[in-house]
Amino acid sequence: MTKVKCAFLVILVTIMTGALHSQVQNLAGQWKFRLDANNKGLEERWFDAQLPDSIELPGSCEERGFGIKNTVKDPHRLTRAIKYEGKAWYRRTITVPASWKGKRTALFLERCHWESSLWIDGIPYGLRNSLSAPHVYDLGLLNPGTHTIAICIDNTYGSIPIGTWGFAITDDTQGNWNGITGRMELRATDPIWISDIQVYADRLQVKLGNITGKSHQAVLQNRQVTVPAAGAIIDLPFKPAAPVWDEFSPALHTVTVTLSSGRFKDKKSMKYGIRKLTTAKGQFVVNGRPVLMRGPVNECIYPLTGYPPMDRASWVRVLGICKSYGFNFMRFNSWCPPEAAFEAADELGFYLQVELPFWSIDAPVFGEHPLRDQFLFDELQRILETYGNHPSFAFMAMGNESPGPFEVLVNKGRSIDTRMLYRCQNGDTITNGDFAERGTEIGQRGVKGPRTDWDRWSLIKTAETEKYRLSSLPTFAHEVGQWASYPDFDQLEKFTGTLRPYNYEGFRHSLAQNNMADQNKAFAQASGKFAVSLYKDEIEGCLRSYPYGGFQVVEARDFPGEGCAIIGWLDAFWDSKGLITPAEFRRFCGPVVCLLSMPQRIYTSDELFTAKAMLSNYGPAALRSAAEWKITDEQNNTIASGSFASSTMQQGKVTFIGDIKASLKKAHSPSRLLVTVSAGGTSNSWNIWVYPAKQAAAAPDVRVHYAFDDAARKDLANGERVLLFSSPAEGLYEIKTAFMGPDSVRQFPPVSKGRSAIPGTYMPAFWNMRLFNQAGTLSVLCNPQHPALAGFPTEAHSDWQWADLLGRYTAQASYGIAGDEAMHEWDDRFNRSKSVVLNETPADYSPIVQVIDNYERNYKLGIIFETRVGKGKLLICALDLDTDAGKRPAARQLKASLLQYAAGEKFNPTHELSIELLEKILSF
């Protein structure tokens, strides 16, 4: 059998729990300490000297107040309150008890950042440099009595360039801290001991240590074995217990291994779980059952400590939250979590993707730096050996978004351990890995506008996309979403740890300067709910795809680095923002989800609603279920309904339930309707909008103008009511493309004639403006009860009835921002709207329909607003509601609503904007 095929063997995975006959001293507590900023400690033998300060471990020196106080407030990310890069020395005495006489001892440091060096009683014991696995030092035989341990931790970056953007060290998330976290233990065993156990489907692989200097006979699990002087690796037959482990039934068992060699004895027990992880026909398969991976990316954001939690309870909380939102998977972007994360995932039934600590965006490509490349080889082996026994450890990848001949590492990993699958590197072929992870280049991210009759294989139609659809390798959607919303500044009181939210404070100050501080909550809720609605569309697009591997939402929580990306429905602390409940989220994200394929969301009352009902079933078994559908209005009145006979909905597939056809004549128009499909014990709903087929004639006492010209001014001077449509193609600021550009590319000069508006867009900012400069707006914000919108049903935030009105409603712009310059068949529209800059209006002036600006800029923006002009009244609309109006029911309806408002008694503007300002924002 080839090594490649070995990746698809039955996988038996286990959890080491520690040697029952080992003896352990906990070294947590107070240590003597000294920073070594000038790198003199080794020369001056600090390992053998008294150190002046004290520090509590585990922890970081920054967490304990040691380092340089940071006086620079970083606008790009959270700011490390105290920062230290260099060597730091930690020293304490230990007492080896008399009972340890003749025992072999080892020092276990669960997570060091980064490089550690050890001295015992002034004698060097070497160096360790893993970012992912424990630093373990074999100390041999230590005589009972008092000894001195000295540890030097060096977090200097440079000699091993793994990239400062990678989330194992980047200041954008945890930061490059100095310290030791997790368990710190002095351990004792007999001189012949069980060093490691790896459990496979058909055998136990037991690693035995021996420091006696000679060969010994021993009994291992009732078998006679020889333990050479250098130790041994011995395979033992093993029949695992049942049942198997998976996300629905994460069954764990226990096995005990015993060793006896004369007076030397050892015993280890471990939990283990059995799972068979393979691939077939473009899908992941667990224990013979297709599985679709659904989950967020974890980019190591821990604002209180700057480093990830090392305890099981914290990880049970994090993964439990994720599971409550229907997820079964988590990807660790360019870092490896600690043992506690694997333990929690094992218990909860979660699949994890672990990655090497590498991102080459500012580092040499793999293959160009021998020392660094060897570190990555070693780190891969350490990760596999340390965590490979966990059933949750399902996927291994060689860092984030980095080119180079990584297939060398993939095949190195396969030669070590085939219990997990490896992401393809340097080409998506079976020789280079087991699954593909792709993004915009083949349509794995983004939406296609106000419709749901698309999936990941049809979003962009290219030969390359079709190649992946037909591939036997599963495809993962890489970093789906990234839709920004506005931060709620109430969360700032939570940042009480090592990372300070000066970037958020800057946003808050800017908002106050622009007289909109009182709108913070409204901005956060409206833009957040809009972003969640887009995540719904993104996720359903993935679930409609078949065959398919799964998707990674770039984060479920906000990402306060890389320019600060407010992209989650959870904040950086995993707390809900109140945008959507887990139960509501699971309706469109879970093992079993009802789906709807519909070619449009906007209808007239004389049109027939048509759609196809489907069910995505990645639950534990096939379902036998009837299905129902209904269309209701906002008062929950049923407009139409129907049912489908009971049928079998296969496991691991997307099953077509039936066609839906319904008349909308019973619906009051205009109105928002809700389409609901129920099947398989779950349901899901979608908004649609219905408008009159014909509009009433325009009110004769409203003057409609398309320029703020002499004719418009004359009507206003005569006390007329004027509805002015300001051309979305005129008066626009230029949006300059920039990556991590200066503030000047995001800010504009004060409004002037011909430069007074930002190009309109339905889609919110992608990621953030600081990393990718763009229009950057986030959502409309309005009072749905405002009389100007009486004839245009809407919520306070953007939804799909606004898409055609605002334009730029597909993923095309975000693809371009992300570097995809190809022009795909998006069927998008441009120059449909603009956001007029109203910074010079009075502080208490609010547009009727406001556009929430990006938190980087905080301009007061409007697309529909009003003012008195002398005796006249002026209603301004910065939307094109006339082009192709016969094909645009929403545009006709909004125009009719505005005309009715302008003609009515409720059109009574409270402010009078100056003619000088109107000239600047309305003349070109």
Side-chain angles (χ1 to χ4, degrees):
M1 182 176 289
T2 67
K3 291 182 179 178
V4 170
K5 291 181 180 178
C6 284
F8 309 117
L9 289 173
V10 174
I11 299 170
L12 180 66
V13 284
T14 65
I15 311 159
M16 301 281 295
T17 62
L20 296 182
H21 282 197
S22 295
Q23 300 177 60
V24 176
Q25 279 191 29
N26 183 1
L27 300 182
Q30 291 294 314
W31 287 61
K32 303 305 289 183
F33 174 76
R34 187 175 181 182
L35 295 178
D36 188 8
N38 296 319
N39 195 22
K40 294 182 178 180
L42 186 60
E43 177 185 348
E44 297 179 358
R45 298 178 60 84
W46 289 6
F47 53 83
D48 205 20
Q50 293 296 319
L51 303 180
D53 298 313
S54 295
I55 191 171
E56 183 182 350
L57 292 177
S60 73
C61 62
E62 298 171 7
E63 183 182 18
R64 306 305 182 204
F66 292 98
I68 300 170
K69 186 175 181 180
N70 202 340
T71 59
V72 177
K73 297 181 178 181
D74 197 329
H76 297 278
R77 57 187 66 83
L78 299 177
T79 299
R80 293 164 67 186
I82 296 174
K83 191 170 184 177
Y84 181 74
E85 183 172 318
K87 292 180 178 178
W89 293 78
Y90 305 81
R91 192 170 182 268
R92 67 164 291 173
T93 59
I94 60 168
T95 299
V96 175
S99 61
W100 285 20
K101 184 177 182 179
K103 298 284 188 182
R104 165 256 179 193
T105 55
L107 178 66
F108 177 91
L109 307 173
E110 186 171 5
R111 184 145 297 193
C112 299
H113 201 100
W114 175 357
E115 180 181 277
S116 71
S117 300
L118 175 68
W119 289 259
I120 304 291
D121 299 329
I123 300 171
Y125 275 74
L127 175 151
R128 306 287 185 270
N129 67 352
S130 177
L131 280 165
S132 308
H135 291 200
V136 180
Y137 291 87
D138 195 323
L139 309 181
L141 301 175
L142 282 183
N143 292 325
T146 300
H147 298 272
T148 300
I149 297 178
I151 302 170
C152 179
I153 300 293
D154 188 356
N155 66 330
T156 306
Y157 177 81
S159 62
I160 303 178
I162 59 174
T164 63
W165 285 63
F167 297 117
I169 63 168
T170 181
D171 277 350
D172 284 299
T173 56
Q174 64 170 312
N176 185 22
W177 49 275
N178 183 304
I180 305 168
T181 62
R183 289 171 292 156
M184 302 176 63
E185 297 171 347
L186 190 67
R187 298 175 172 181
T189 67
D190 282 347
I192 298 175
W193 75 100
I194 302 172
S195 174
D196 183 44
I197 301 173
Q198 300 289 328
V199 184
Y200 298 91
D202 57 350
R203 70 193 191 282
L204 298 177
Q205 187 181 84
V206 183
K207 185 176 182 181
L208 303 179
N210 182 357
I211 63 166
T212 65
K214 59 183 179 180
S215 178
H216 283 257
Q217 295 299 304
V219 177
L220 181 67
Q221 293 295 80
N222 299 316
R223 295 169 65 93
Q224 290 289 332
V225 298
T226 299
V227 186
I233 297 176
I234 298 173
D235 284 351
L236 298 175
F238 178 66
K239 183 177 181 181
V244 295
W245 180 99
D246 68 10
E247 64 184 283
F248 304 107
S249 300
L252 297 172
H253 312 283
T254 302
V255 65
T256 299
V257 177
T258 60
L259 171 70
S260 177
S261 179
R263 59 189 176 88
F264 302 140
K265 301 182 186 301
D266 201 4
K267 179 164 62 173
K268 287 183 182 290
S269 293
M270 74 268 330
K271 291 180 181 178
Y272 69 90
I274 305 166
R275 57 135 173 86
K276 179 183 179 182
L277 175 60
T278 61
T279 68
K281 299 179 180 179
Q283 292 183 291
F284 295 114
V285 180
V286 175
N287 303 329
R289 182 171 57 212
V291 173
L292 189 137
M293 302 296 165
R294 313 172 303 277
V297 179
N298 185 315
E299 291 164 315
C300 208
I301 303 162
Y302 297 99
L304 296 182
T305 59
Y307 56 80
M310 304 298 288
D311 63 293
R312 174 188 161 279
S314 294
W315 283 103
V316 167
R317 173 183 177 262
V318 167
L319 296 178
I321 289 170
C322 292
K323 194 161 188 174
S324 76
Y325 286 95
F327 293 136
N328 64 353
F329 164 86
M330 180 175 281
R331 172 190 166 217
F332 293 87
N333 185 338
S334 59
W335 72 289
C336 176
E339 183 81 19
F342 293 94
E343 292 175 350
D346 292 341
E347 294 175 20
L348 294 176
F350 234 70
Y351 306 101
L352 305 183
Q353 177 171 316
V354 178
E355 297 187 0
L356 288 180
F358 183 64
W359 190 358
S360 67
I361 193 169
D362 65 345
V365 172
F366 181 75
E368 296 180 353
H369 194 287
L371 180 64
R372 190 275 321 280
D373 295 348
Q374 185 60 51
F375 167 79
L376 294 177
F377 271 106
D378 295 341
E379 194 78 338
L380 172 62
Q381 183 162 344
R382 288 188 286 255
I383 289 172
L384 296 176
E385 291 180 351
T386 304
Y387 309 111
N389 282 326
H390 289 277
S392 56
F393 187 178
F395 306 101
M396 183 70 215
M398 308 307 158
N400 181 53
E401 298 176 357
S402 299
F406 277 113
E407 72 277 9
V408 178
L409 279 176
V410 169
N411 288 307
K412 173 69 173 178
R414 284 169 159 174
S415 72
I416 298 170
D417 201 334
T418 58
R419 290 174 293 182
M420 61 287 299
L421 300 180
Y422 294 81
R423 186 179 67 196
C424 290
Q425 308 280 171
N426 201 33
D428 295 329
T429 65
I430 190 64
T431 58
N432 291 0
D434 304 310
F435 65 96
E437 186 178 316
R438 308 297 291 178
T440 57
E441 64 278 3
I442 61 166
Q444 300 305 297
R445 185 185 58 73
V447 297
K448 202 172 183 178
R451 57 197 301 173
T452 64
D453 59 342
W454 56 272
D455 60 27
R456 291 296 169 210
W457 302 126
S458 65
L459 185 61
I460 59 175
K461 297 179 180 179
T462 65
E464 185 77 354
T465 302
E466 186 67 2
K467 181 185 80 173
Y468 280 87
R469 185 183 72 84
L470 297 175
S471 173
S472 62
L473 298 177
T475 296
F476 247 127
H478 177 73
E479 299 186 356
V480 166
Q482 309 189 44
W483 304 118
S485 58
Y486 203 92
D488 184 340
F489 296 128
D490 282 356
Q491 69 181 287
L492 267 62
E493 64 185 18
K494 296 182 181 181
F495 290 87
T496 59
T498 62
L499 299 172
R500 302 299 166 80
Y502 297 134
N503 50 351
Y504 285 80
E505 290 178 4
F507 305 148
R508 181 172 61 181
H509 178 70
S510 169
L511 185 68
Q513 280 190 316
N514 285 288
N515 302 307
M516 294 183 290
D518 61 328
Q519 291 189 284
N520 178 227
K521 287 284 188 185
F523 284 2
Q525 284 293 303
S527 62
K529 288 181 178 179
F530 175 42
V532 167
S533 74
L534 294 175
Y535 279 110
K536 181 178 190 292
D537 273 37
E538 291 256 24
I539 290 171
E540 289 178 355
C542 295
L543 296 181
R544 288 191 297 269
S545 306
Y546 180 84
Y548 207 55
F551 62 87
Q552 309 159 3
V553 174
V554 72
E555 273 277 4
R557 54 185 172 156
D558 293 339
F559 183 94
E562 288 185 10
C564 196
I566 310 301
I567 53 170
W569 57 96
L570 308 175
D571 66 18
F573 302 88
W574 296 99
D575 294 329
S576 173
K577 297 181 183 180
L579 303 173
I580 188 169
T581 66
E584 291 170 330
F585 202 95
R586 289 196 303 274
R587 295 184 74 199
F588 60 83
C589 180
V592 180
V593 173
C594 293
L595 299 169
L596 196 66
S597 173
M598 54 182 169
Q600 64 192 77
R601 289 180 181 260
I602 309 300
Y603 294 86
T604 58
S605 56
D606 60 352
E607 286 186 288
L608 196 67
F609 173 81
T610 61
K612 296 181 183 299
M614 302 178 290
L615 186 88
S616 170
N617 179 16
Y618 290 93
L623 295 169
R624 183 75 183 175
S625 174
E628 298 177 346
W629 64 269
K630 63 180 178 179
I631 302 175
T632 55
D633 62 19
E634 294 191 73
Q635 290 72 45
N636 204 31
N637 299 311
T638 299
I639 305 303
S641 63
S643 62
F644 300 101
S646 181
S647 62
T648 298
M649 299 167 189
Q650 289 183 287
Q651 194 281 332
K653 291 190 175 181
V654 181
T655 299
F656 171 70
I657 296 174
D659 289 306
I660 300 174
K661 295 182 180 180
S663 169
L664 301 175
K665 290 182 179 179
K666 286 179 59 178
H668 170 76
S669 60
S671 63
R672 182 186 67 164
L673 304 179
L674 194 67
V675 183
T676 300
V677 175
S678 302
T682 188
S683 68
N684 198 1
S685 299
W686 298 263
N687 291 331
I688 64 171
W689 290 264
V690 58
Y691 299 110
K694 295 182 180 180
Q695 299 293 342
D701 54 350
V702 177
R703 302 290 189 264
V704 177
H705 289 273
Y706 291 87
F708 192 59
D709 53 16
D710 290 342
R713 292 189 188 89
K714 181 178 179 181
D715 281 341
L716 290 166
N718 290 334
E720 300 288 355
R721 300 162 178 257
V722 172
L723 173 56
L724 173 66
F725 289 95
S726 185
S727 170
E730 296 183 289
L732 301 177
Y733 288 114
E734 180 185 3
I735 306 296
K736 297 179 180 179
T737 301
F739 179 79
M740 294 297 284
D743 288 343
S744 58
V745 303
R746 292 179 289 279
Q747 303 290 335
F748 302 116
V751 295
S752 61
K753 189 174 182 178
R755 290 293 181 270
S756 60
I758 296 169
T761 172
Y762 174 77
M763 299 301 289
F766 169 74
W767 192 245
N768 62 52
M769 287 179 64
R770 192 168 286 269
L771 199 67
F772 305 108
N773 194 47
Q774 55 198 288
T777 52
L778 301 174
S779 173
V780 301
L781 175 66
C782 62
N783 176 4
Q785 306 305 315
H786 194 285
L789 303 174
F792 188 77
T794 184
E795 294 180 272
H797 56 82
S798 294
D799 206 341
W800 285 114
Q801 85 275 31
W802 286 98
D804 173 68
L805 309 180
L806 296 171
R808 290 186 172 89
Y809 49 71
T810 72
Q812 179 167 321
S814 65
Y815 271 40
I817 292 166
D820 182 2
E821 298 179 357
M823 293 300 294
H824 304 291
E825 297 179 5
W826 292 106
D827 192 30
D828 210 336
R829 297 292 182 270
F830 301 91
N831 293 327
R832 283 283 168 84
S833 70
K834 65 182 177 183
S835 300
V836 180
V837 177
L838 301 173
N839 291 346
E840 297 178 28
T841 61
D844 62 346
Y845 182 84
S846 294
I848 295 171
V849 179
Q850 188 170 356
V851 172
I852 301 171
D853 197 16
N854 199 278
Y855 42 88
E856 283 279 1
R857 193 169 48 211
N858 286 312
Y859 288 179
K860 185 188 293 184
L861 303 175
I863 54 173
I864 300 174
F865 52 100
E866 63 185 5
T867 180
R868 298 193 311 275
V869 182
K871 295 186 296 182
K873 300 176 182 179
L874 177 61
L875 179 62
I876 300 113
C877 178
L879 300 161
D880 177 1
L881 303 182
D882 293 308
T883 299
D884 296 327
K887 301 177 183 178
R888 300 171 61 204
R892 298 196 305 269
Q893 186 61 38
L894 180 57
K895 185 174 183 179
S897 185
L898 295 177
L899 285 166
Q900 291 168 6
Y901 170 66
E905 294 181 356
K906 295 182 179 180
F907 180 33
N908 189 25
T910 57
H911 288 80
E912 182 165 1
L913 304 181
S914 69
I915 288 294
E916 292 76 17
L917 177 58
L918 294 176
E919 284 279 358
K920 287 193 288 186
I921 63 177
L922 299 176
S923 299
F924 316 111

